[in-house]
Amino acid sequence: MNTAALRPLYAAGFLTAFGAHSIAASLGAYTEGERASLLTLGLLLAVYDGAEVILKPVFGSLADRIGPRPVLLGGLLTFAAASAAFVLAGNPAAVGLARLGQGAAAAAFSPAAGAMLARLSPAERQGRTFGGYGAWKSVGYTLGPLLGGVLITLGGFSLLFGTLAVLALAVAGWAAVAVPAVPPLPRARQTVLDLARRLTAPSFLRPTATLAATTAALAVGVGFLPVSGAAAGLTPLVTGGAVSLLALCSALAQPWSGRARDDGRLRDGVGMAGGLALAAAGMACGALVPGVAGVLVAAAAIGAGVGLATPLGFAHLASITPPERLGQTMGAAEVGRELGDAGGPLLVGAIAAAATLGTGLLGLAAVVVVAALAVLGTRTAAR
């Protein structure tokens, strides 16, 4: 396996996480400065994910048809163009259009990167490969709000978008040089019924449910643990440290989980179920244990659980998918992640509005436990 060819793909994963979270974390201050409504803030937050949900399956299928490398490079260049257009326009109101363009671009290069990771790594090392990819995405999630805030403080949104444009161009150039061409493979004719049958099979639904549940837990941990901590009288420094602890635990756990899978020490079903159970326990701890101990233990458990389960979900999907359909499968699985990213906070928020935040955390924990039970029997594919 040529590890040099994988590094630009890891960088692409970092870019999509860093780009999404560096902007999203600062949109509240932006809308306040522009005297925009909370509805406008919600639309600006949703437009990026909405573009990904709609377009990821489309670009995943395109990657199977023409090869993933052109889709990867096209997505990165489009991300750079959308970011640069905001800077050139010099109009703060264009942030929504820029986010839409970035989301569409990420919808192209994310499933293409996933397909290439599977194609370029042998079956016995796919756990390591996806563990490394997930770890770099976790780094992007961690650094995005922090560095985004620094860049906006120094030069406003124009400096942040300009930095993203340069970063996307750098990753595209690196990928063009280091990532080899991966030609499309011959594909048997597939009807709509065939596609529906494949995407509703337990072998697809179980790992995709794992990815959706882990993303829901991650989004809720990042979004609601600081709220829970603030209600308990903790300072922003402590609650911010809890979010960083969550991301750090996820980043450290993912490579370990991938190596354990490749070495035969961790089965897919057991690992995915264990990771989900650990994340659920973290949310329960956040709901039931008061003070700083509850918040920090919850953050560590959610991060470790997400890190344990995520690479196993992706590696399992790669192992059970025909190589000529990897883009389509990764695109569809990414939609599951996006739905978890949106659905988790919505569920917790809805329950919290009707009862308490602790009840909302327990509600999502129960859903995640159900997902853990559903994936427990998943068998690792023969390699």
Side-chain angles (χ1 to χ4, degrees), residues 312-341:
L312 301 180
F314 276 119
H316 187 82
L317 285 169
S319 69
I320 56 95
T321 301
E324 68 274 14
R325 302 288 182 188
L326 278 168
Q328 187 180 72
T329 296
M330 292 300 175
E334 288 278 1
V335 170
R337 296 192 80 194
E338 297 299 334
L339 294 176
D341 194 22

Side-chain angles (χ1 to χ4, degrees), residues 57-113:
V58 176
F59 285 119
S61 296
L62 181 64
D64 291 333
R65 185 178 298 275
I66 67 173
R69 188 171 183 269
V71 178
L72 173 80
L73 296 177
L76 290 168
L77 292 174
T78 302
F79 192 97
S83 303
F86 176 85
V87 180
L88 296 175
N91 182 4
V95 67
L97 291 175
R99 292 260 307 162
L100 178 63
Q102 289 177 332
F109 69 74
S110 289

Side-chain angles (χ1 to χ4, degrees), residues 15 38 56 77 121 142 148 166 170 186 254 280 292-293 326 345-346 360 380-381:
L15 173 65
L38 290 177
K56 275 184 174 180
L77 292 174
S121 59
T142 305
V166 172
Q254 293 202 47
V292 64
L326 278 168
L346 282 175
T380 304

Side-chain angles (χ1 to χ4, degrees), residues 14-377:
F14 171 84
L15 173 65
T16 184
F18 177 80
H21 280 233
S22 61
I23 297 172
S26 303
L27 282 175
Y30 165 81
T31 52
E32 183 177 348
E34 295 294 314
R35 301 183 186 278
S37 67
L38 290 177
L39 176 60
T40 300
L41 174 60
L43 291 173
L44 291 175
L45 288 170
V47 67
Y48 187 102
D49 292 330
E52 289 194 297
V53 168
I54 295 170
L55 294 176
K56 275 184 174 180
V58 176
F59 285 119
S61 296
L62 181 64
D64 291 333
R65 185 178 298 275
I66 67 173
R69 188 171 183 269
V71 178
L72 173 80
L73 296 177
L76 290 168
L77 292 174
T78 302
F79 192 97
S83 303
F86 176 85
V87 180
L88 296 175
N91 182 4
V95 67
L97 291 175
R99 292 260 307 162
L100 178 63
Q102 289 177 332
F109 69 74
S110 289
M116 294 197 78
L117 288 168
R119 291 279 300 274
L120 293 174
S121 59
E124 64 273 11
R125 292 187 63 87
Q126 285 184 347
R128 289 176 172 85
T129 298
F130 283 104
Y133 182 70
W136 276 105
K137 290 192 76 168
S138 294
V139 173
Y141 291 137
T142 305
L143 294 181
L146 174 63
L147 294 184
V150 171
L151 291 171
I152 290 172
T153 300
L154 293 176
F157 268 80
S158 292
L159 180 57
L160 173 57
F161 275 87
T163 301
L164 290 173
V166 172
L167 182 60
L169 280 176
V171 176
W174 188 10
V177 171
V179 178
V182 180
L185 298 172
R187 298 182 301 161
R189 181 177 177 273
Q190 177 181 252
T191 66
V192 174
L193 183 60
D194 293 332
L195 175 61
R197 187 181 296 116
R198 191 160 62 81
L199 296 185
T200 55
S203 58
F204 173 82
L205 290 178
R206 286 171 176 169
T208 302
T210 297
L211 296 175
T214 55
T215 309
L218 177 65
V220 166
V222 170
F224 285 96
L225 282 182
V227 177
S228 177
L234 303 183
T235 65
L237 179 62
V238 175
T239 56
V243 173
S244 296
L245 176 63
L246 188 157
L248 177 63
C249 289
S250 177
L252 293 176
Q254 293 202 47
W256 178 88
S257 175
R259 285 194 301 270
R261 179 190 190 271
D262 292 341
D263 295 340
R265 294 181 285 115
L266 185 62
R267 300 202 313 271
D268 289 349
V270 172
M272 288 189 290
L276 292 175
L278 185 57
M283 284 182 282
C285 181
L288 301 174
V289 179
V292 64
V295 172
L296 293 180
V297 172
I302 292 172
V306 169
L308 175 61
T310 299
L312 301 180
F314 276 119
H316 187 82
L317 285 169
S319 69
I320 56 95
T321 301
E324 68 274 14
R325 302 288 182 188
L326 278 168
Q328 187 180 72
T329 296
M330 292 300 175
E334 288 278 1
V335 170
R337 296 192 80 194
E338 297 299 334
L339 294 176
D341 194 22
L346 282 175
L347 175 63
V348 172
I351 297 175
T356 65
L357 177 55
T359 306
L361 292 173
L362 290 175
L364 181 59
V367 173
V368 174
V369 168
V370 171
L373 294 174
V375 304
L376 184 59

